[in-house]
């Protein structure tokens, strides 16, 4: 089977020395000189592996929350004003764009990010002080490991750059080099943005050639170039200067195989199944394994109820959270049904509302394999390609309705593509309600990584977490061509990926309700469907199209007063960047808060 990284005990043992200058509770360990610690190549792999482990834990959870809950496609919805699932509003503030410098998840993401970068800084420094001959390896091999750590650090920096922009420091020295805690890169936010942009691009350009090709569980040449591609694609957001032509060049080089041999999977199931590192579309995936590096629970748990295993056939110790759903496609008008939802409701894509964001499930073509049937996996390890749960939930053998809990305890569980208090608990039902006022059955659920029945003997938590795949390169090139006025070329590129979801590939270019042209709105829509739930919606899409605070979806500007504040259709632009956590400012006076939050 896999892996480059395996034993978590070895990985964490490698972390004998690092500091994180930005945590409230700083830990400083006695240093071990690199020339003493690195005895052989295995010890280097352990140290590098520790960075992957820390990165996977932090970025695959906390940054997913920041990028997805704050955007238009996925919501953390509570039940009946927070009677269930409120969680001290930790995630609700993201879905309602009401966070501030005191918000817990903003702080948690910050601390996790700097732990990863601190580890990378130390390993880069220590390997640079180590003789390859003493380790029994070549200089070329040592350079490879250093390049791998530099690319990992650049990836970590890219993730935090999208969140905090010019409020960031440039912390690129090991604790052995300097005890100084760096402040914000420049007091001027925009100047700082440019400095960090230049650092990430220069770092990537300076090390890609030393990396391997076609090694999917580690940073490789294609990952490095895809990171630069992301920087160029979003350059206008970061620096005010568009670089779509440069972006198109590097995207085409990746597709031409200059940095490794990849191809778009003809079957999307190969990307997310248990042997996905053998899929030609997967460029890089974090190796996960229960009992060693277990981030696999994040793939599905937030969406699912406590008894979901009765429906999909598996048995797992963890219970589903039941607080995450797709943004609803319909308002709450029409005739209320006993088991929730209403008939005759109006879709947010309808001309009455005119949305082109949110309304996720209804933006899929009815001929798309992902929505033609609810998700189901079989004992032989296959699955039907469906990625959602909607409507009545029944046992795996199809004989017994699943029961809801909490506000609908004892009733049959029926997922509706709406969010509202149809039981009139907490507050009366309104035509449009925000995610504080859901019910236990509110919202369509997503299962992107398959959950296998017991008979298959496969734990979905062992599926590697895909971070880079070739379809992103195809869609990037498509957008660059669309922005250059080459609409037909853009359509062909999107079809080259999307055609795999249809019996008739021509259906891939069908425009959903409310869309009338192959324009920027269409491109943003296509990004959203292809990478739904992959932690990219805010960062890769909404910011670049100026829709994150200015776009309209679901409840913004439509919720009647319910005593919990108003949500204007166009939000304050200050929310386009996140604030530095108050705790970080407390321990590091050199940091300069995002000026919009002062």
């Amino acid at each position: 089977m896999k892996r480059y990284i395996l034993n978590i005990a070895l990985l964490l043992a490698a972390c004998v020395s690092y500091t994180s200058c930005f945590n409230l509770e700083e830990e400083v360990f006695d240093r071990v000189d690199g020339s003493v610690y690195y005895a052989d190549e295995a010890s280097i792999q352990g140290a590098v592996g520790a960075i992957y482990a820390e990165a996977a834990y932090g970025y695959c959870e906390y940054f997913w929350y920041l990028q997805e809950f704050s955007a238009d496609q996925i919501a953390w919805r509570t039940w009946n004003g927070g009677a269930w699932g409120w969680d001290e509003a930790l995630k609700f503030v993201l879905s309602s764009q009401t966070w501030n410098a005191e918000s817990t998840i903003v702080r948690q993401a910050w601390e996790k990010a700097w732990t990863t970068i601190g580890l990378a800084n130390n390993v880069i420094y220590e390997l640079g002080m180590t003789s390859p001959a003493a380790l029994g390896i070549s200089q070329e091999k040592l350079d490879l490991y250093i390049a791998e750590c530099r690319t990992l650090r650049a990836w970590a920096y890219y993730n935090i750059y999208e969140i905090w922009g010019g409020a960031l420091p440039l912390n690129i020295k090991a604790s052995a080099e300097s005890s100084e805690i760096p402040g914000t890169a420049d007091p001027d936010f925009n100047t700082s943005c440019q400095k960090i942009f230049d650092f990430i691009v220069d770092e990537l350009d300076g090390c890609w050639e030393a990396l391997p090709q076609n090694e999917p569980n580690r940073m490789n040449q294609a990952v490095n170039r895809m990171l630069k591609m992301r920087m160029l694609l979003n350059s206008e957001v970061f620096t005010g200067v568009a670089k779509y032509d440069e972006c198109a060049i590097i995207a085409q080089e990746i597709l031409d195989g200059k940095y490794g041999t990849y191809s778009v999977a003809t079957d999307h199931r190969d990307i997310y199944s248990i042997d996905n590192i053998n899929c030609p579309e997967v460029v890089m995936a974090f190796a996960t394994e229960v009992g060693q590096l277990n981030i696999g629970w994040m793939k599905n748990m937030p969406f699912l109820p406590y008894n979901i295993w009765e429906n999909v056939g598996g048995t797992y110790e963890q219970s589903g959270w039941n607080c995450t759903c797709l943004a609803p496609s319909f308002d709450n008008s029409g005739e209320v049904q006993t088991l929730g939802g209403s008939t005759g409701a109006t879709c947010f894509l309808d001309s009455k509302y005119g949305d082109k964001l949110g309304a996720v499930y209804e933006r899929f073509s009815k001929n798309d394999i992902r929505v033609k049937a609810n998700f189901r996996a079989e004992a032989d390890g296959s699955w039907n390609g469906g990625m959602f749960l909607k409507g009545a939930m029944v046992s795996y053998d199809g004989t017994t309705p699943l029961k809801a809990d909490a506000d609908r305890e004892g009733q049959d569980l029926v997922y509706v593509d709406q969010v509202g208090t149809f039981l009139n608990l907490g507050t009366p039902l309104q035509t449009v309600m925000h995610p504080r006022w859901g019910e236990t059955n509110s919202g369509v659920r997503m299962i992107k990584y398959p959950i296998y029945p017991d008979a298959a003997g496969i734990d979905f938590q062992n599926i590697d977490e895909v971070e880079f795949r070739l379809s992103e390169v195809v869609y990037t090139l498509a957008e660059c061509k669309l922005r250059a006025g080459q609409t037909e070329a853009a359509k062909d590129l999107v079809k080259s990926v999307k055609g795999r979801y249809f019996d008739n590939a021509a259906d891939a270019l069908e425009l959903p309700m409310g869309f009338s042209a192959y324009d920027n709105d269409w491109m943003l829509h296509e990004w959203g469907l292809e990478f739904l739930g992959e932690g990219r919606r805010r960062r890769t899409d909404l910011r670049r199209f100026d829709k994150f605070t200015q776009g309209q979806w679901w409840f913004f500007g439509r919720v009647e007063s319910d005593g919990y504040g108003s949500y204007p259709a166009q939000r304050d632009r200050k929310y386009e960047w996140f604030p530095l956590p108050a705790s970080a400012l407390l321990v590091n006076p050199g940091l300069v808060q995002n000026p919009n939050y002062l």
Side-chain angles (χ1 to χ4, degrees):
M1 208 174 163
K2 36 197 176 188
R3 316 253 195 265
Y4 170 61
I5 318 288
L6 250 184
N7 192 309
I8 191 65
L10 173 62
L11 307 190
L12 297 182
C15 308
V16 293
S17 171
Y18 73 90
T19 63
S20 180
C21 307
F22 307 95
N23 292 346
L24 266 178
E25 297 180 4
E26 182 177 330
E27 292 184 271
V28 182
F29 300 92
D30 291 336
R31 291 199 54 77
V32 178
D33 183 79
S35 63
V36 176
Y37 172 72
Y38 295 112
D40 51 26
E41 187 173 5
S43 60
I44 297 177
Q45 291 176 345
V48 176
I51 310 173
Y52 281 98
E54 185 62 39
Y57 277 118
Y59 289 95
C60 292
E61 181 178 358
Y62 297 104
F63 282 81
W64 189 90
Y65 297 149
L66 295 178
Q67 301 285 15
E68 294 290 359
F69 286 149
S70 65
D72 68 309
Q73 297 196 138
I74 293 174
W76 176 272
R77 63 106 187 93
T78 61
W79 314 331
N80 303 322
W84 294 273
W86 182 235
D87 199 20
E88 298 180 352
L90 298 186
K91 302 177 182 71
F92 176 80
V93 298
L94 301 178
S95 287
S96 57
Q97 292 196 6
T98 56
W99 57 80
N100 57 43
E102 301 286 347
S103 295
T104 300
I105 292 178
V106 176
R107 174 182 57 79
Q108 290 171 326
W110 174 269
E111 292 174 356
K112 286 290 183 180
W114 290 111
T115 303
T116 299
I117 290 171
L119 281 169
N121 287 341
N122 279 344
V123 174
I124 291 167
Y125 171 77
E126 289 164 353
L127 291 182
M129 302 292 288
T130 303
S131 165
L135 301 171
I137 61 174
S138 65
Q139 184 66 53
E140 181 182 34
K141 180 64 72 71
L142 185 61
D143 290 343
L144 183 155
Y145 287 117
I146 294 173
E148 186 172 10
C149 293
R150 290 175 68 186
T151 302
L152 252 174
R153 181 174 64 182
W155 170 82
Y157 247 103
Y158 175 78
N159 281 282
I160 62 176
Y161 187 38
E162 288 189 322
I163 298 295
W164 290 288
L168 291 173
L170 273 174
N171 177 35
I172 55 175
K173 290 186 177 181
S175 54
E177 296 178 277
S178 174
S179 60
E180 178 186 355
I181 302 177
T184 298
D186 192 278
D188 179 77
F189 187 89
N190 293 330
T191 302
S192 188
C193 273
Q194 185 67 60
K195 287 182 177 181
I196 296 165
F197 184 95
D198 293 342
F199 161 72
I200 296 174
V201 170
D202 290 347
E203 186 75 351
L204 292 168
D205 284 344
C207 66
W208 71 266
E209 291 179 291
L211 293 167
Q213 292 188 357
N214 296 101
E215 293 197 26
N217 276 149
R218 66 193 301 192
M219 297 288 151
N220 54 58
Q221 287 189 10
V223 168
N224 181 293
R225 298 294 81 188
M226 284 183 70
L227 274 170
K228 183 175 181 181
M229 179 191 76
R230 288 181 182 178
M231 293 292 294
L232 296 173
L233 183 64
N234 293 288
S235 176
E236 195 166 12
V237 172
F238 294 145
T239 69
V241 179
K243 294 182 179 289
Y244 296 110
D245 291 343
E246 292 178 54
C247 182
I249 291 171
I250 197 168
Q252 189 64 62
E253 288 178 344
I254 297 168
L255 294 177
D256 289 343
K258 182 176 180 179
Y259 308 107
T261 305
Y262 305 96
S263 61
V264 172
T266 56
D267 189 331
H268 74 288
R269 287 167 282 204
D270 295 341
I271 303 168
Y272 309 105
S273 296
I274 189 65
D275 292 321
N276 60 357
I277 60 168
N278 296 317
C279 174
E281 183 171 325
V282 174
V283 176
M284 187 267 168
F286 283 103
T288 68
E289 193 156 324
V290 174
Q292 298 188 41
L293 180 56
N294 184 16
I295 57 170
W297 60 271
M298 261 298 291
K299 297 180 177 79
N300 295 310
M301 294 299 186
F303 288 90
L304 304 177
Y306 73 99
N307 58 355
I308 192 61
W309 318 126
E310 299 173 34
N311 173 262
V312 299
T315 54
Y316 298 93
E317 293 181 0
Q318 293 196 52
S319 176
W321 295 6
N322 199 26
C323 286
T324 300
C325 66
L326 301 187
S329 301
F330 294 91
D331 69 13
N332 304 325
S333 61
E335 182 179 348
V336 174
Q337 300 297 291
T338 302
L339 295 176
S342 63
T343 59
T346 302
C347 181
F348 290 113
L349 301 175
D350 185 86
S351 58
K352 174 183 176 180
Y353 292 109
D355 291 356
K356 290 182 171 63
L357 302 171
V360 181
Y361 196 82
E362 286 299 304
R363 287 194 285 114
F364 280 89
S365 166
K366 297 301 182 288
N367 295 320
D368 191 318
I369 188 176
R370 294 170 290 182
V371 298
K372 286 177 74 172
N374 274 356
F375 166 84
R376 181 178 174 85
E378 304 298 338
D380 62 2
S382 64
W383 56 294
N384 65 351
M387 297 177 68
F388 305 100
L389 298 177
K390 184 176 181 289
M393 297 295 104
V394 298
S395 59
Y396 185 72
D397 62 10
T399 63
T400 307
L402 262 65
K403 298 299 180 180
D405 64 351
D407 50 353
R408 289 186 174 271
E409 187 169 3
Q411 296 184 15
D412 291 355
L413 179 59
V414 179
Y415 286 134
V416 297
D417 199 2
Q418 298 168 265
V419 173
T421 54
F422 294 95
L423 290 171
N424 285 311
L425 295 176
T427 192
L429 179 68
Q430 298 176 9
T431 303
V432 179
M433 305 184 80
H434 58 68
R436 183 167 181 146
W437 292 109
E439 292 180 343
T440 188
N441 60 350
S442 290
V444 175
R445 309 309 168 91
M446 182 175 68
I447 299 181
K448 196 154 193 176
Y449 288 79
I451 299 172
Y452 298 93
D454 289 341
I458 302 171
D459 190 331
F460 79 90
Q461 298 171 102
N462 287 333
I463 304 172
D464 286 0
E465 185 80 21
V466 178
E467 172 63 21
F468 294 87
R469 56 188 180 94
L470 194 68
S471 289
E472 181 183 344
V473 183
V474 178
Y475 274 50
T476 296
L477 185 58
E479 182 181 327
C480 291
K481 289 187 178 296
L482 185 69
R483 291 179 181 274
Q486 301 174 44
T487 304
E488 291 303 313
K491 289 166 60 179
D492 287 343
L493 284 162
V494 170
K495 182 180 176 182
S496 72
V497 174
K498 197 175 179 183
R500 64 188 172 195
Y501 304 115
F502 299 87
D503 293 332
N504 179 4
D507 292 341
L509 295 178
E510 172 187 331
L511 289 171
M513 178 194 302
F515 290 73
S516 59
Y518 297 95
D519 54 13
N520 280 351
D521 286 333
W522 164 75
M523 191 71 237
L524 178 56
H525 150 81
E526 295 295 349
W527 272 111
L529 297 195
E530 178 60 29
F531 296 96
L532 177 62
E534 295 189 25
R536 292 173 168 79
R537 185 57 172 171
R538 172 191 169 274
R539 75 184 190 196
T540 303
D541 307 336
L542 294 179
R543 288 295 315 282
R544 194 170 62 255
F545 289 89
D546 196 26
K547 299 292 186 181
F548 184 61
T549 63
Q550 305 305 294
Q552 174 64 63
W553 66 85
W554 185 9
F555 63 93
F556 286 110
R558 295 171 180 154
V559 172
E560 300 173 22
S561 177
D562 59 4
Y564 290 99
S566 61
Y567 304 93
Q570 291 188 341
R571 279 76 66 203
D572 193 323
R573 283 194 179 275
K574 80 175 187 178
Y575 293 113
E576 291 176 359
W577 300 104
F578 282 81
L580 294 178
S583 59
L585 295 167
L586 181 66
V587 299
N588 185 353
L591 294 177
V592 178
Q593 179 64 282
N594 178 337
N596 289 328
Y597 289 89
L598 294 176

